């Protein structure tokens, strides 16, 4: 194995380790074996990971240490995170005659991790889940913290539960084969941690962002472990999002609205929507006098250097203030019909739970979208 960093998410009896480094998939069996209760497992993955050989690398390593494994290879893409796919998989897995001690191993990006996590949360009222995230976004966000779920026809992630994994193995070697656009989109979530409460990390990302995108292994390892550390600290304080965890939604209230309007497809990836959303959160904060303009400029300039979008004006879909507000009011984080925003006093000084009057929001969005 190459150099590996580790940290523990400290949640009492639900604590678990996150390992970040190279060679973790091909050594997965050895790393997973001490944790699993029965030596059989269900591996949930997608066709890309089968085609790229990562599934074979994992199943060989499981076989080498005597862990039985049954793979389910799913179509890649957001449509896989559906109720229909959940039902099909649940039946398929139960048909194998699993027991409480069977583990679910998720090898994939956010879609696979969320779906496999939700299967783990629900089958037999809870199976152990091991996450092997294979996108930057999944490594720094969705595989950590225990949010699991699937989409409904009424919206994204509306059916789900909290179910912490037993182990997260973030193999940074797989990032080498990730399409550059996906990698940049994941980088937006890395940047988010600097903007929330780690100004020193943001300074470092200003220096290293382009190297992370270009493939610098040491910089990638540090960016992933530091992001996981930032997320772990927040999750440890507020596992079920009754308070501080809402900070992790910086940029997401605007971002989810933009994703809804662009149809969750190739026009705007999740991380790209978050990048634009973070800029809007900084600009809204500045317009209310919370945040210095210089910090807005630093954020926008940095996003530009890593080729992430900074404005909804460049999207093909026409984005109007009314439509953004309508989409935001359907977000699952709405309280009493009103979205809550994460705003900021500057880089690394975000605060959550802000309600904004419709007239103010409309005027702000009109000025940003016209
Ligand atoms: N992705 C935000 C959270 O896990 O809370």
């Amino acid at each position: 194995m190459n150099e590996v960093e580790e940290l523990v998410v400290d949640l009492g009896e639900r604590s678990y380790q996150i390992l970040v480094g190279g060679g973790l998939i091909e050594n997965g069996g050895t790393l997973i074996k001490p944790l699993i209760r029965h030596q059989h497992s269900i591996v949930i993955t997608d066709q890309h990971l089968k085609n790229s050989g990562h599934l074979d690398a994992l199943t060989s390593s499981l076989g080498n240490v005597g862990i039985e494994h049954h793979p389910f290879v799913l179509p890649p893409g957001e449509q896989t995170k559906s109720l229909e796919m959940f039902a099909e998989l649940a039946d398929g897995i139960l048909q194998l005659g699993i027991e409480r001690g069977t583990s679910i191993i998720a090898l994939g990006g956010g879609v696979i991790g969320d779906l496999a996590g939700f299967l783990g949360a629900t089958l037999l009222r809870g199976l152990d889940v091991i996450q092997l995230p294979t996108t930057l976004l999944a490594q720094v966000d969705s595989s950590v913290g225990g949010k699991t779920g699937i989409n409904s026809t009424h919206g994204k992630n509306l059916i789900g539960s909290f179910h912490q994994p037993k182990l997260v193995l973030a193999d940074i070697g797989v990032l080498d084969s990730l399409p550059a656009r996906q990698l940049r989109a994941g980088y937006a979530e890395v940047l988010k941690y600097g903007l929330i409460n780690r100004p020193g990390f943001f300074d470092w990302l200003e220096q290293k962002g382009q190297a992370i995108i270009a493939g610098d292994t040491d910089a990638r390892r540090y960016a992933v472990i530091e992001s996981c550390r930032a997320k772990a600290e927040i999750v440890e304080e507020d596992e079920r999002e009754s308070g501080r965890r809402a900070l992790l939604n910086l940029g997401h209230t605007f971002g989810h609205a933009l994703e809804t309007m662009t149809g969750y497809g190739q026009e705007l990836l999740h991380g790209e929507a978050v990048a634009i959303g973070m800029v809007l959160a900084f600009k809204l904060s500045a317009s209310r006098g919370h945040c210095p303009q210089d910090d807005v400029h630093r954020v926008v300039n940095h996003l530009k250097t890593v080729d992430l979008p900074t404005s909804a004006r460049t999207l093909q879909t026409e984005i109007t203030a009314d439509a953004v507000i309508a989409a935001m009011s359907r977000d699952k984080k709405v309280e009493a019909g009103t979205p809550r925003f994460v705003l900021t006093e500057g880089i690394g000084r975000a605060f959550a739970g802000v309600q904004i009057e419709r007239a103010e929001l409309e005027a702000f969005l009109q000025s940003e979208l016209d």
Side-chain angles (χ1 to χ4, degrees), residues 207-226:
Q207 305 303 315
K208 293 288 185 181
Q210 283 166 303
I212 291 167
I213 305 288
D216 179 325
T217 306
D218 290 340
R220 281 184 178 176
R221 191 188 317 102
Y222 181 74
V224 173
I225 196 81
E226 203 53 24

Side-chain angles (χ1 to χ4, degrees), residues 280 311-314 318-322 362-370:
L280 289 171
S311 166
R313 285 194 188 101
T314 53
E318 197 196 349
I319 308 288
T320 63
D322 274 351
E362 203 171 321
F364 168 73
L365 283 168
Q366 275 164 355
S367 72
E368 285 305 315
L369 296 170
D370 289 347

Side-chain angles (χ1 to χ4, degrees), residues 135-154:
T135 62
L136 183 56
L137 188 126
Q139 293 187 351
V140 300
D141 186 18
S142 54
S143 66
V144 175
K147 281 190 182 175
T148 73
I150 54 175
N151 301 330
S152 136
T153 47
H154 297 284

Side-chain angles (χ1 to χ4, degrees), residues 209-270:
Q210 283 166 303
I212 291 167
I213 305 288
D216 179 325
T217 306
D218 290 340
R220 281 184 178 176
R221 191 188 317 102
Y222 181 74
V224 173
I225 196 81
E226 203 53 24
S227 299
C228 290
R229 187 169 288 123
K231 180 158 186 180
E233 270 178 27
I234 290 176
V235 169
E236 283 164 2
E237 267 186 48
D238 177 23
E239 187 181 357
R240 297 177 77 89
E241 200 169 317
S242 48
R244 196 155 181 258
R245 187 163 178 167
L247 287 172
L248 297 174
N249 299 326
L250 175 64
H252 284 60
T253 307
F254 289 119
H256 280 153
L258 297 174
E259 280 184 282
T260 304
M261 295 167 73
T262 51
Y264 293 99
Q266 286 303 304
E267 183 181 351
L268 189 67
L269 303 180
H270 174 71

